[in-house]
Amino acid sequence: MMADYQPADSGFALDRDCKTLTRHVLEQLHSFGPEAQDLSALMNRIALAGKLIARHLSRAGLMESALGFTGETNVQGEAVKKMDIYANDVFISVFKQSGLVCRLASEEMDKPYYIPENCPIGRYTLLYDPIDGSSNVDINLNVGSIFSIRRQQGDDLDHTGADLLQDGHQQLAAGYILYGPSTVLVYSIGRGVHAFVLDPSLGEFILATEDIRVPSHGPTYSVNEGNFWQWEDAIRDFTRYVHRHDGYSARYTGALVADFHRILTQGGVFLYPGTTKKPEGKLRLLYETAPLAFLIEQAGGRASTGHEDIMGVMPGEIHQRTPFIVGSTDDVALVESFIQDHSRRQSTLLST
Ligand code: P6P
């Protein structure tokens, strides 16, 4: 009787190369039921979008009309890059025939894109920022895509997307793709945060790090200090504090996904506070700050507007913005302590 077959020592390497994203999602859910299969299929489509965008980015410098501006401005009033439109359309193309989604809501589209009648309609909504940090695209620096998946609630017959105006706890899954020296996909379906690296030779995202935990404190503070005089005093005082105390380093790339990835993996705090020009902040809730808040909380960190948890913010409209303070629990709390001190001082002054 032959002994049971034992894989050779390379078993670990082979098994690791087989830990693809779709398999990981099913293992996470310990289920092969309909919703598990849906989530696995949704993540598989997002991975395909990431591969297509990564490929386009890697060759953009050699392609006519891949870089630069379209000459249009989007609903945010921002100049649109050709890569923004390409990436936006990639997500639509990848999901249009999937039978998984009923609509897609994006930074680049004023209203959600509804899957046409002649295509299979699903019961999920994809909310995404197709290319985050597009000011970096033409200079070959990091950019990312951010995504959030919600289940459709109600029928949305009037196509207003009103049922999307729910807080961050309604997210089923969230994550991002970071296009850098390697292409990294980070996601959570509410059971921890996991990172996959694209192996171009396989054309697969392979599990790299499981159950990422953000340290309770880190040395990095990440903020655009060019806005210093546009901030409220509390944020200026926080900045003065980290200038004066050892152990802090400033890092800021201009791409939220890249700055967030550093904070998620090494600790610290990223801030995009309100300014005099944009008191509500620059970053968008439904497809930027809420998905990243979902991730950081899953990794043991925090995300705040400075006054409340991002995950609890109820949006008034699809493109609503929020101030964003995200990262290690101790570092987010430090920023909030300056805000609370200032609020106390102001209320004391007003009461005298
Ligand atoms: P600023 C990119 O446009 C973006 O939305 C985020 O990726 C990034 O964190 C932020 O804006 C950068 O904005 O005002 O510092 O250039």
Side-chain angles (χ1 to χ4, degrees):
M1 165 73 100
M2 288 278 285
D4 291 346
Y5 177 79
Q6 290 300 326
D9 288 348
S10 61
F12 170 76
L14 277 179
D15 192 44
R16 177 200 180 102
D17 283 349
C18 295
K19 192 62 79 80
T20 60
L21 184 59
T22 42
R23 175 175 142 187
H24 192 262
V25 172
L26 294 173
E27 286 179 359
Q28 284 286 304
L29 293 167
H30 306 297
S31 155
F32 289 81
E35 179 156 299
Q37 296 286 2
D38 283 351
L39 279 175
S40 179
L42 284 159
M43 290 307 303
N44 194 34
R45 305 311 287 173
I46 286 169
L48 175 57
K51 294 177 212 174
L52 289 165
I53 294 167
R55 183 181 65 175
H56 198 68
L57 284 165
S58 70
R59 303 186 303 188
L62 300 172
M63 295 160 65
E64 283 299 311
S65 75
L67 297 175
F69 291 92
T70 63
E72 307 291 323
T73 54
N74 63 15
V75 63
Q76 327 290 342
E78 295 167 348
V80 177
K81 288 278 181 80
K82 294 171 185 170
M83 195 64 72
D84 289 320
I85 298 304
Y86 173 81
N88 193 66
D89 294 351
V90 161
F91 279 93
I92 291 174
S93 300
V94 156
F95 277 96
K96 194 170 179 179
Q97 295 289 354
S98 69
L100 292 165
V101 300
C102 51
R103 62 203 161 169
L104 295 91
S106 152
E107 177 186 278
E108 298 304 330
M109 301 186 290
D110 184 13
K111 298 190 183 328
Y113 172 87
Y114 285 80
I115 298 296
E117 298 288 323
N118 61 349
C119 295
I121 310 282
R123 55 195 183 127
Y124 301 94
T125 301
L126 177 76
L127 301 105
Y128 64 112
D129 181 0
I131 289 286
D132 163 72
S134 52
S135 61
N136 286 351
V137 163
D138 295 355
I139 51 173
N140 194 38
L141 293 182
N142 291 107
V143 292
S145 302
I146 307 173
F147 62 87
S148 172
I149 296 169
R150 295 177 180 238
R151 189 185 291 105
Q152 179 176 358
Q153 298 176 12
D155 51 27
D156 190 20
L157 290 177
D158 58 3
H159 281 196
T160 59
D163 63 296
L164 290 172
L165 304 182
Q166 307 279 341
D167 68 31
H169 297 289
Q170 300 305 313
Q171 297 177 97
L172 291 175
Y176 57 84
I177 302 159
L178 174 58
Y179 309 102
S182 67
T183 299
V184 175
L185 186 151
V186 176
Y187 90 104
S188 176
I189 53 175
R191 297 163 189 246
V193 179
H194 317 287
F196 289 71
V197 174
L198 179 61
D199 179 338
S201 66
L202 282 176
E204 284 285 359
F205 281 98
I206 302 298
L207 181 62
T209 316
E210 211 165 23
D211 286 326
I212 297 171
R213 303 299 293 170
V214 59
S216 59
H217 165 66
T220 298
Y221 72 99
S222 184
V223 66
N224 182 347
E225 296 198 40
N227 295 329
F228 184 86
W229 291 108
Q230 290 190 49
W231 295 332
E232 60 179 291
D233 287 342
I235 302 296
R236 286 205 284 268
D237 284 351
F238 163 75
T239 311
R240 293 184 183 106
Y241 176 90
V242 293
H243 287 170
R244 290 178 183 137
H245 288 74
D246 284 345
Y248 291 95
S249 295
R251 294 286 186 274
Y252 192 76
T253 72
L256 171 61
V257 169
D259 290 324
F260 179 87
H261 190 66
R262 184 199 306 277
I263 298 296
L264 175 71
T265 51
Q266 299 175 349
V269 62
F270 171 92
L271 308 88
Y272 206 105
T275 62
T276 45
K277 287 180 193 162
K278 294 192 177 107
E280 75 286 359
K282 174 180 183 181
L283 303 176
R284 273 66 54 153
L285 176 62
L286 281 175
Y287 42 79
E288 289 179 323
T289 61
L292 298 183
F294 184 90
L295 289 176
I296 204 77
E297 288 198 358
Q298 282 290 316
R302 283 201 53 225
S304 163
T305 63
H307 300 280
E308 62 177 306
D309 287 349
I310 291 284
M311 287 288 278
V313 176
M314 286 289 282
E317 56 103 4
I318 282 179
H319 299 293
Q320 174 166 330
R321 301 170 191 263
T322 63
F324 196 39
I325 302 163
V326 62
S328 299
T329 48
D330 296 357
D331 300 310
V332 171
L334 178 64
V335 179
E336 289 177 323
S337 69
F338 284 92
I339 295 170
Q340 287 147 15
D341 287 350
H342 272 263
S343 301
R344 272 194 293 275
R345 278 207 288 276
Q346 274 174 328
S347 54
T348 305
L349 282 174
L350 290 173
S351 64
T352 51

